[in-house]
Amino acid sequence: MKKTFSVNLGNRVYSIDDDAYMKLKEYLDRIEGYFSDQKEREDIINDIEMRISELFTEYLGSNKQVITLNDVEEVIKVMGDPREISGAEEQSQATHERHSGTRRIYRDPDNRMIGGVCGGLGAYLGIDPVIVRILFILFLIFGIGFLVYIILWIVVPEARTTAQKLEMRGDSVNVSNIGSFVKDEFESVKKSFRRNKN
Amino acid sequence: MDFENVKAQMRKGVLEFCILSILSKGDAYATDLLNNLKESELIVVEGTLYPLLTRQKNAGLLSYRWEESTQGPPRKYYALTDKGREVLKESEASWRELIESVDSILKK
């Protein structure tokens, strides 16, 4: 017996086994990690989801109501490796390579209390965000902290893509780093998912 | 340099041109394009098409509209814009030039 999820792909609802769901989610996240431009990324992911939705419809019939791991593996074979999909984007990858190793300030959406400002500063400075938060609270007592926080919240961009998250930590943006980072994230999602289930 | 890679690079070079060319014969959605390109063995994995389409759309060469489908999710139909038609004409000219140049060397 397997647990299933229902997912919305291209405005259609599919029942999907939990292992198949995990695999598909990881696949789409990996593709996402390769595109840095937000508008472009949304378009591409949307189009790919549409196509996957169409393929799922083809696989399903009156005797088959659930998308299985096999189906997802088939879809991945048809759509291709994320690296290959982004192959046309070699140029933007190359420009990223040039920035490799340099840190940039982002707000950290994975490590946030309010806007992710302290989490991002902590990652940038390489110190524990808790220390940054304590310093900020001290600032607050002296009056200007609140304003500074709001300004930083507005000015500092959020690290949305995997590439930006790597940049925030000062890691170079290359294929193997993106791969391992996405895998880490995937594992942590899996863990928290298990925790919630129990 | 391995030959497979050379072949892949060649294919990639003409892919954008072929997309415009297919669309000049009538509007199509991604799967129509894929079937066409797969038949001519120009595309191996489907995913490579989508970044190209998005980039051509953002460059103003293509426009799109949504159409409902009875069998599956709604379809995004692409059409050539005036700018797309112009670029296609230019690409066609340079394609012919390229064939001639290569031929002239091959026949030497």
Side-chain angles (χ1 to χ4, degrees):
Chain A
M1 192 178 75
K2 272 183 178 170
K3 201 171 157 49
T4 62
F5 292 99
S6 64
V7 293
N8 174 345
L9 263 185
N11 282 332
R12 288 168 70 91
V13 178
Y14 297 93
S15 300
I16 181 168
D17 282 339
D18 64 348
D19 51 353
Y21 168 78
M22 287 295 183
K23 180 102 186 168
L24 185 64
K25 172 100 175 67
E26 188 208 16
Y27 179 67
L28 290 172
D29 284 350
R30 267 173 60 212
I31 297 178
E32 234 176 90
Y34 277 96
F35 297 96
S36 51
D37 182 277
Q38 189 197 347
K39 182 81 191 54
E40 205 177 78
R41 183 175 62 236
E42 277 170 12
D43 273 349
I44 293 167
I45 291 291
N46 219 330
D47 286 354
I48 288 176
E49 284 186 1
M50 280 290 176
R51 177 60 179 151
I52 294 176
S53 172
E54 199 177 47
L55 288 170
F56 280 176
T57 306
E58 276 176 34
Y59 298 157
L60 294 174
S62 54
N63 295 325
K64 182 173 161 54
Q65 297 181 335
V66 178
I67 297 296
T68 63
L69 190 58
N70 259 347
D71 298 326
V72 171
E73 274 164 0
E74 180 62 31
V75 157
I76 292 175
K77 215 160 63 194
V78 171
M79 299 304 285
D81 187 74
R83 195 179 320 166
E84 232 174 310
I85 293 176
S86 70
E89 304 288 306
E90 262 157 2
Q91 224 176 346
S92 70
Q93 286 274 328
T95 47
H96 263 132
E97 212 68 67
R98 245 185 286 136
H99 290 298
S100 69
T102 57
R103 272 165 199 261
R104 301 189 62 179
I105 298 187
Y106 287 107
R107 286 184 289 116
D108 189 351
D110 304 330
N111 195 354
R112 70 198 303 169
M113 301 295 268
I114 308 171
V117 170
C118 293
L121 272 178
Y124 179 75
L125 298 169
I127 54 178
D128 195 324
V130 173
I131 295 172
V132 182
R133 289 196 185 106
I134 291 170
L135 284 176
F136 247 108
I137 289 165
L138 286 178
F139 261 135
L140 256 180
I141 295 165
F142 292 106
I144 53 164
F146 181 69
L147 201 63
V148 172
Y149 190 92
I150 295 296
I151 290 170
L152 284 174
W153 195 350
I154 295 167
V155 172
V156 178
E158 189 175 33
R160 286 175 184 278
T161 64
T162 305
Q164 287 170 341
K165 284 178 187 171
L166 284 168
E167 260 179 358
M168 179 171 74
R169 289 170 180 72
D171 293 330
S172 62
V173 181
N174 57 37
V175 172
S176 64
N177 263 348
I178 288 180
S180 62
F181 186 88
V182 169
K183 220 165 157 192
D184 286 351
E185 281 220 320
F186 176 60
E187 289 300 325
S188 76
V189 167
K190 217 156 76 177
K191 255 183 239 147
S192 66
F193 176 73
R194 287 224 181 90
R195 247 200 323 269
N196 287 339
K197 215 161 57 171
N198 293 335
Chain B
M1 199 193 276
D2 66 309
F3 181 63
E4 273 309 307
N5 188 28
V6 174
K7 240 165 63 178
Q9 292 296 329
M10 280 188 186
R11 230 189 272 130
K12 210 161 78 186
V14 293
L15 205 48
E16 298 194 28
F17 166 42
C18 289
I19 292 171
L20 295 180
S21 179
I22 295 169
L23 287 174
S24 74
K25 295 177 183 94
D27 301 354
Y29 84 113
T31 308
D32 294 333
L33 287 166
L34 283 169
N35 291 338
N36 245 305
L37 293 167
K38 273 192 193 159
E39 225 172 89
S40 345
E41 292 180 17
L42 268 167
I43 216 167
V44 185
V45 289
E46 295 194 356
T48 44
L49 177 71
Y50 301 99
L52 293 179
L53 284 176
T54 299
R55 223 184 320 135
Q56 288 185 321
K57 186 201 77 193
N58 289 346
L61 309 184
L62 309 179
S63 61
Y64 70 87
R65 60 173 193 279
W66 288 102
E67 275 186 24
E68 290 300 324
S69 152
T70 48
Q71 292 133 21
R75 297 169 173 183
K76 200 178 188 177
Y77 271 85
Y78 286 95
L80 277 191
T81 60
D82 290 339
K83 194 175 167 197
R85 247 176 276 280
E86 236 168 77
V87 169
L88 174 64
K89 223 190 275 169
E90 282 166 33
S91 316
E92 242 175 310
S94 46
W95 174 246
R96 302 230 179 276
E97 265 171 47
L98 186 68
I99 293 179
E100 267 174 45
S101 326
V102 174
D103 265 355
S104 74
I105 286 181
L106 290 178
K107 281 173 189 154
K108 249 184 202 165

